[in-house]
Amino acid sequence: MRFGILGETRAWRDDGTELSLGGPARRALLALLLVRPGEVVSADRLADEIDPAGALSAHSLQSQVSRLRAALGPEAAIERAGAGYRIVVPHDDVDACRFERLAGDGRAALRDGDAGRAVALLREALRLWRGPALADLAESETAQAAAVRLEEQRLGALEDRIEGELRLGEHRAAVPELRELVGRHPLRERPAALLMRALFADGGQAAALAVYEETRRHLADELGADPSAELVALHHELLTADPSPSPAAPPAQLTAFVGRAEDVTEVTGLLRVARLVTLAGPGGVGKTRLAVEVAGLVTDDVCFVELAPLRDAAGLTQALLGALGLRENGLQMAAGGQAPLDRLIAALSDRVLLLVLDNCEHLVDQVAALAARLLAACPRLRVLATSREPLGIIGENLRQVRPLDADAAVQLFTDRAAAVRRGFAADPALVRRICAALDDLPLAIELAAARLRTLDVDDLAGRLDDRLGVAARGSRTADERHRTLRAVVAWSWDLLPESEQEAARRFTVFAGGATAASALRVCGADGETLESLADKSLLEVAGGRYRMLETIRAYGAERLDAAGELETVRRAHARHLLELLRAADPHLRRAEQLEWMPVLTAEHGDLLAALTWAVEAREVEIGLELLAAASTYLWIRGAAAAVAPQAIALLEVIGEEPPAGLGEEYVACVLLAASGAAGRPVWRRHRERAGQALAAAWPGARPGRYPAVLLLWVMRNVGEGDLLDAYTLVSSQRDCPDPWVRATAMYVLGWGNLGESDTAQAESFFGAALDGFRALGERWGSALALDSLAALAATRGDRGTAVALTDEAFTLTERLGALEDGADLLVNRGDHLAGGDVAAARADYGRAAALARRAGSSASLAAALRGLGDIALLEGDLAEAERLYGEAAEKLDPHWVRSIGNRVRALAGLGRVAEARGDHAGARKRYREAAESAAVMGGPLPDVLRMMGLPESVVEAVSTR
């Protein structure tokens, strides 16, 4: 039998049948006995608590006990004990006792770090509550005290459960409950602290700080007290946190800097007066280390770009964007946007920054052209380059980096040798001979010194002597920077046993380094071999990844080709990367997306290398599979344009017909090819076949292999004018078993209803999409749905809701690190505010423009300029409005769905300016252009224009043209 006092007093048999307990007196009697099962409660106290007025006699109490015994039956014994009664039942049969046990176990599990078990126990405990504790004893002092104790335990269990959920990453779902909890208990600090952590974990730093301020004010007003030290410490932590993306810093160095103090002083001084300084010299001479030391002394912001992993110039601009912490595309996934170079210039145009371009020699012509363009367009930018040869452009200040002088070389060798052999001491003349044999090159010296872990210094000197002739007799036609360093690398390589040589040459297929697991899998080596290669400086270990110096990697790649293993190992590398992408893909559409994105970002260079190999080797199947498996990651990260050249090249290999059985992969390839600046002709050529392949891959309600492809397809088709088939395809997925696909279908169908001017149904679909994405903890889709709902709210005049929804979407974009999307949302918020608070709207447009310049987004900057143009027109400044509208219209791509609304508004604004000046012909021309741009969205033109936020008078003017 089970008993309940957490709510109305109730009793159930084990089969779930509820017993009839009788009237209020009998339920109150049972509740009093169940507060402490097994303990005696005096008859006098029972009578007083049941009937405080004193009308319950001893005989009446005995009668109530008898009737209660009859109702409960033999399974629950109510015994007479001295001058009172007690109920004999197992403690776990009473919900209050079971709750206390489960809550205690849950708290212990939380304290032990087992958040999963803690949450399960606490949820089970809290489910036992059906209402206020001891509800049948409202006037009983004893019951009130017990109820207060139980309610306090309930609140503590609730807080423990939420803390456990936060530890498990369930931040988004916890926020509404925590807000309600803080509202009911404004003086309780723990819920406030949990809410602050939940908000910040989901990107809401400002909202978290606002919670602290409100709590502090409540404590001061109500209690005259300050927040606890713990809450103050949390506040300080939030104040000092920076969730925004920042430029890549120079790599941290693990060893002392030897022998370059004069060089550092000279280069630092040169950068004060020169805007381009190139550190030139042979490989291994220490150019990168010198650049790192100089960068550490400048007072400007520094962005360090490693160019060595790039195989060709196709990814050069994208590499700079990535180092600056910028995504290539915005959240809306539209294709055909601003060129990467234009975005890069926009991001750097007004910024004081030192850009360090490291290892330019293999792309020297392209780097020179890019540096010249950036320096001409960005007057506050300075560039420090390292290369084996000058860039050769006007304004370059060349600083030749030469080998170490004799004393510095000996000091470097001695320092590094002492690090691997305790108490190292050697004849300075012998050390000097070793360094001279290595041409005093820092890299060669470090490699040689590392060998002292297993060799004697005399043995080392003897082996070097055997190889002096190799360096001296190198081909006179070979570049000097190759002759000496090749000899050093070859010497170091030859000292490796065959098993380590095999692992090292196979490792060279990793363009961006590798985790230990990846290296072991692809190289066919064991952990001891990798550690030995790291000990001998053939590999470096940093941030949990193994990396190989580029000079050693180039030499090892030659050895891999000579061994006849190149194609086999590259294929194994590509297959391993494909397995990782497939394992990660489902998590990118769930709450774990923030956890998996950094994992895949670290593999980005290897993805590009694997795709390039697939194209060169004409491995169509694995190339398509790589692109499809990476598509969700690429679009969320905003890096689709980075793989566009490989996708286009792969389509050229494929020809006119998609390969059998790879229809969906082919569609992903077409979408990614279309994301680049050169993708539009490819899109036109392959669009029809891709649509057929997608329809075949998504029959009925059965999902395809790559759910993100369906959403990307529809979004890419918005500006094409014939969306019927795409919407029909999505509609078939409303009952798909995949919850992300169902949410996506709701989102897309919402846009379909907008095209039919059914705003009520559209809002219903967007709301369902938001619920679906939120249930999954998926921020990308949630931000899309919130932005759409905000637009609908603004259309019906509910500006407050529109602003609130936009703020929530902005919080998500901050968490995603999407500067471009943040700028667009600020423009949207400015549009929502412009009708009532012009000053606030102007501030949002101005802030959006600054953020867009930082992001390097021409489209977002144009949207902000369009908003400022609206304000200039409102204030009667026709010249300024015309300038802003004209600049915005010029920057906005008429074929990019993301830009259509702002382009229409800019063109309509130019029409309004012309009309205000009495230029009716000019106004008609501009209104006609606006109508033509808006028509691609489908649906009745007036309704489309209203959705774009145009005033009714302008809607009428454009619609009649």
Side-chain angles (χ1 to χ4, degrees), residues 4-83:
I5 59 174
L6 299 179
E8 291 184 351
T9 305
R10 300 171 71 178
W12 304 268
R13 293 191 178 91
D14 288 341
D15 63 2
T17 305
E18 186 171 358
L19 298 176
S20 176
L21 300 175
R26 235 167 293 160
R27 289 196 304 273
L29 172 62
L30 179 59
L32 286 167
L33 294 173
L34 290 172
V35 170
R36 297 280 190 227
E39 293 186 9
V40 176
V41 184
S42 71
D44 291 342
R45 194 170 68 167
L46 287 172
D48 290 342
E49 298 283 2
I50 293 171
D51 185 2
L56 190 66
S57 65
H59 176 75
S60 298
L61 175 63
Q62 187 176 6
S63 175
Q64 292 292 346
V65 171
S66 297
R67 293 175 185 175
L68 183 58
R69 283 173 176 153
L72 297 178
E75 296 178 57
I78 300 178
E79 301 176 347
R80 179 80 185 197

Side-chain angles (χ1 to χ4, degrees), residues 124-171:
E124 183 181 353
L126 291 165
R127 279 196 296 268
L128 294 170
W129 284 76
R130 296 169 289 104
L134 298 164
D136 291 304
L137 291 168
E139 299 181 8
S140 165
E141 293 183 4
T142 300
Q144 287 176 2
V148 169
R149 173 178 59 81
L150 288 168
E151 291 288 353
E152 180 63 24
Q153 290 179 347
R154 179 188 191 183
L155 184 55
L158 180 60
E159 293 169 345
D160 288 339
R161 191 212 78 208
I162 295 173
E163 180 176 336
E165 290 169 345
L166 295 185
R167 293 187 189 183
L168 294 173
E170 300 175 16
H171 307 98

Side-chain angles (χ1 to χ4, degrees), residues 737-816:
D738 186 325
W740 191 87
V741 175
R742 291 199 303 273
T744 297
M746 296 297 103
Y747 173 73
V748 173
L749 290 172
W751 282 104
N753 278 275
L754 282 183
E756 298 170 1
S757 301
D758 188 348
T759 55
Q761 188 61 41
E763 186 165 24
S764 175
F765 278 128
F766 289 145
L770 180 59
D771 291 341
F773 289 129
R774 277 178 169 169
L776 294 169
E778 207 277 85
R779 294 163 178 82
W780 186 40
S782 296
L784 288 173
L786 284 166
D787 192 33
S788 301
L789 286 168
L792 282 174
T795 301
R796 63 174 180 264
D798 187 355
R799 303 292 180 178
T801 298
V803 169
L805 292 171
T806 305
D807 285 344
E808 189 174 352
F810 183 74
T811 298
L812 292 174
T813 62
E814 282 187 311
R815 187 66 174 137
L816 286 168

Side-chain angles (χ1 to χ4, degrees), residues 355-565:
L355 183 64
V356 182
L357 302 177
D358 188 41
N359 292 312
C360 302
E361 52 273 357
H362 61 307
L363 303 171
V364 64
D365 292 336
Q366 296 86 352
V367 172
L370 178 60
R373 177 75 182 276
L374 292 177
L375 289 166
C378 309
R380 307 176 77 184
L381 176 70
R382 290 180 295 163
V383 174
L384 175 63
T386 73
S387 177
R388 298 182 189 178
E389 60 183 292
L391 300 187
I393 60 179
I394 296 174
E396 181 182 33
N397 285 262
L398 190 63
R399 176 65 170 84
Q400 195 72 37
V401 182
R402 304 194 180 282
L404 296 171
D405 63 40
D407 292 341
V410 170
Q411 182 186 350
L412 178 63
F413 184 95
T414 303
D415 285 356
R416 302 303 190 256
V420 298
R421 173 168 289 193
R422 181 179 300 177
F424 170 77
D427 179 3
L430 180 60
V431 173
R432 177 66 205 125
R433 185 161 65 88
I434 293 172
C435 293
L438 299 173
D439 286 343
D440 295 323
L441 290 170
L443 174 61
I445 291 170
E446 297 211 28
L447 289 171
R451 300 302 296 131
L452 292 180
R453 184 174 180 271
T454 55
L455 293 177
D456 239 12
V457 66
D458 291 323
D459 190 14
L460 176 65
R463 296 193 181 205
L464 273 173
D465 285 341
D466 292 340
R467 282 159 177 79
L468 290 178
V470 175
R473 294 193 297 271
S475 170
R476 293 183 183 274
T477 62
D479 193 295
E480 181 63 31
R481 66 183 183 272
H482 286 148
R483 283 201 280 165
T484 302
L485 190 56
R486 176 176 290 277
V488 173
V489 176
W491 160 78
S492 183
W493 191 280
D494 290 342
L495 291 177
L496 299 174
E498 174 55 32
S499 61
E500 292 183 7
Q501 286 190 14
E502 179 182 86
R505 66 176 179 256
R506 291 178 178 177
F507 189 91
T508 61
V509 298
F510 290 103
T515 63
S518 296
L520 295 176
R521 176 77 177 276
V522 174
C523 299
D526 54 32
E528 185 177 346
T529 299
L530 291 180
E531 290 176 9
S532 179
L533 288 172
D535 285 343
K536 296 169 185 176
S537 297
L538 271 295
L539 292 178
E540 297 176 329
V541 185
R545 295 177 69 84
Y546 285 92
R547 297 184 184 276
M548 182 174 276
L549 294 173
E550 193 60 26
T551 49
I552 297 173
R553 182 169 171 259
Y555 182 87
E558 293 177 2
R559 305 275 66 75
L560 183 68
D561 194 17
E565 298 179 317

